């Protein structure tokens, strides 16, 4: 696999292509693998994203900045970027990992992406790595809402209600099913003043509460409570909304 | 307090001194405080220390690198550096924090140090911040052993015994004292082949085990078991050794 296409998609050409090759080499493949690079790349990514958020969101406090950063650099986010870059095509894996589909594993993709960033940093310096990272993250920032990104459904529902000076939701376990080791919980989330009562199930009380909060928030958003109270029965029929976007619009 | 002395001790002169002033301002003092800078400075410190360790310890794997880094950037280490820089003399605190001795608090000192690094980064770029951080950390690296830094006493004792192909230590709770909420545990750590049995107390079983392991390792090192077995009674009389240094010498 020629590396020129990868260099083109990250907009960086290596002076020492061996660094990029090492970054793409999983430890299952050989001795000169990418784990030390991953250690370095993690911190390179972190500082570049931090600097980007620091300037991009001049009025966010450090708590919000930390939350947004954690979400942007978590494994799933990095694996997404790695997939956009088609990193799996360039990955060098050992036999076993190849057969077990290691090139699709999010942890391997995320680690390899970090290693590639370290390779750019070592090859071209901090500004080169920063440029690569910013090119990848600026489009992502355009699509996230920093006020909601990475918050869980219960928090979002609570903030939604507080912003309208409405009472907090009430969570009630209404049933448990199954044996102790495989219990299912049914939790109802109710917001009396909006006439909302939604039920969701989960393998823990916490998970069921989160699911119920998500349904309730979607219903509350769809019912658009600001002008008048609507019936929950109608809200229940609304289709699923993508949470962060919908909430972003509501909170603005 | 003139900032020139501080600039001199970090070997950096600000183009925009207002950035340094903000870095030295605790949130208790005023609106333009240092918390956002601390968010950024944390990641600047992390990448500079990572890069330093990456080149300085070319043969350490990423697990060891992470352990050493964690130890070098933990709050207590940063507060130490802040004290060497006399940061508390320049700190701007609110009335309450001033009275309660906030200028001595490790968390405030560590956070302020990170904020100062961010100020250098914003004022002079990555290379300037890297230079400041390396000047502070290169002398520290000279005095640490990367094979032992940040490892707990049980781990160090285990590695010491394994390196001599000796059987692992045996930990036994020999007594508990006090009521449930304020229990004291006495744990014996024994290494039969070295004729060592040392007892230590702690407020948890884990804490007592660590203390007993520390005593046992000190005794084992002092007894210098390589040539011949010595009696534990003699080892017990040895004075306390500073662990990392002593172990470092033994492992080399």
């Amino acid at each position: 696999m020629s590396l020129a296409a990868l260099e083109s998609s990250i907009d960086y050409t290596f002076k020492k292509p061996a660094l990029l090759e090492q970054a793409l080499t999983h430890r299952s493949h050989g001795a000169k693998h990418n784990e030390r690079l991953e250690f370095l790349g993690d911190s390179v990514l972190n500082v570049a994203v931090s600097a980007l958020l620091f300037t991009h969101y001049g009025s966010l406090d450090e708590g919000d900045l930390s939350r947004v950063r954690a979400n942007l650099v978590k494994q799933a986010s990095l694996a997404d970027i790695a997939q956009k870059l088609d990193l799996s095509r360039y990955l060098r894996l050992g036999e076993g990992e190849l057969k077990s589909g290691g090139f699709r594993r999010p942890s391997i993709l995320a680690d390899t992406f970090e290693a590639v960033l370290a390779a750019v940093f070592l090859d071209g310096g901090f500004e080169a790595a920063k440029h690569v990272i910013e090119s990848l993250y600026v489009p992502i920032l355009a699509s996230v809402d920093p006020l909601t990104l990475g918050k869980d459904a219960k928090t979002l529902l609570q903030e939604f209600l507080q912003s309208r000076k409405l009472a907090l939701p009430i969570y009630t376990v209404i049933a448990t099913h199954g044996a102790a080791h495989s219990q299912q919980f049914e939790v109802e989330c109710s917001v009396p003043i909006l006439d909302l009562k939604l039920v969701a199930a989960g393998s823990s009380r916490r998970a069921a509460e989160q699911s119920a909060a998500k349904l309730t928030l979607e219903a509350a958003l769809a019912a658009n409570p600001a002008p008048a109270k609507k019936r929950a029965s109608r809200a229940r029929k609304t289709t699923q909304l993508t949470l962060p976007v919908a909430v972003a619009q509501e909170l603005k």
Side-chain angles (χ1 to χ4, degrees), chain A:
Chain A
M1 197 63 223
S2 151
L3 298 178
L6 177 55
E7 290 184 318
S8 158
S9 46
I10 62 172
D11 192 22
Y12 181 77
T13 307
F14 278 82
K15 294 189 272 287
K16 296 179 191 157
L19 270 170
L20 178 56
E21 278 164 33
Q22 184 177 351
L24 295 165
T25 305
H26 188 254
R27 77 171 298 139
S28 63
H29 183 275
K32 220 170 158 68
H33 57 72
N34 63 9
E35 287 194 352
R36 278 170 48 87
L37 289 172
E38 179 210 332
F39 161 82
L40 180 58
D42 171 80
S43 66
V44 171
L45 174 67
N46 215 43
V47 72
V49 170
S50 301
L52 185 61
L53 297 179
F54 185 89
T55 42
H56 202 79
Y57 299 120
S59 60
L60 276 199
D61 71 24
E62 64 294 345
D64 287 333
L65 289 169
S66 295
R67 173 177 44 77
V68 172
R69 180 180 62 192
N71 201 278
L72 293 178
V73 303
K74 69 182 183 188
Q75 189 183 89
S77 304
L78 304 191
D80 275 356
I81 296 177
Q83 264 171 337
K84 274 182 218 147
L85 295 175
D86 241 345
L87 273 196
S88 57
R89 286 172 60 200
Y90 307 94
L91 255 180
R92 307 202 296 181
L93 296 170
E95 279 294 321
E97 283 292 349
L98 256 183
K99 281 181 189 155
S100 68
F103 51 88
R104 277 192 306 266
R105 200 174 309 152
S107 62
I108 290 183
L109 289 171
D111 292 351
T112 305
F113 174 59
E114 290 180 335
V116 169
L117 297 177
V120 174
F121 175 79
L122 293 172
D123 193 68
F126 177 73
E127 292 303 325
K130 186 165 168 258
H131 169 73
V132 169
I133 294 164
E134 286 188 349
S135 307
L136 294 167
Y137 272 97
V138 166
I140 295 173
L141 286 194
S143 72
V144 304
D145 184 309
L147 295 178
T148 60
L149 185 70
K151 286 185 184 168
D152 62 42
K154 283 180 71 175
T155 303
L156 289 171
L157 176 59
Q158 179 178 328
E159 291 180 353
F160 172 87
L161 295 171
Q162 281 172 336
S163 71
R164 284 157 177 75
K165 305 197 188 306
L166 301 176
L168 295 183
I170 301 152
Y171 297 93
T172 318
V173 177
I174 56 173
T176 57
H177 308 284
H181 62 282
S182 64
Q183 256 185 322
Q184 277 281 315
F185 293 79
E186 274 184 33
V187 166
E188 176 191 271
C189 175
S190 90
V191 183
I193 196 154
L194 298 180
D195 215 0
L196 290 176
K197 273 191 188 181
L198 289 110
V199 174
S203 60
S204 70
R205 180 179 171 157
R206 200 188 120 75
E209 283 181 357
Q210 290 292 351
S211 298
K214 185 165 184 286
L215 293 177
T216 307
L217 179 57
E218 288 165 358
L221 287 169
N224 188 15
K229 293 172 203 166
K230 308 253 170 152
R231 299 224 17 100
S233 57
R234 189 187 139 186
R236 275 187 217 207
K237 285 178 203 145
T238 57
T239 51
Q240 282 235 344
L241 300 167
T242 307
L243 264 190
V245 175
V247 177
Q249 289 165 343
E250 283 290 316
L251 289 178
K252 264 169 196 158

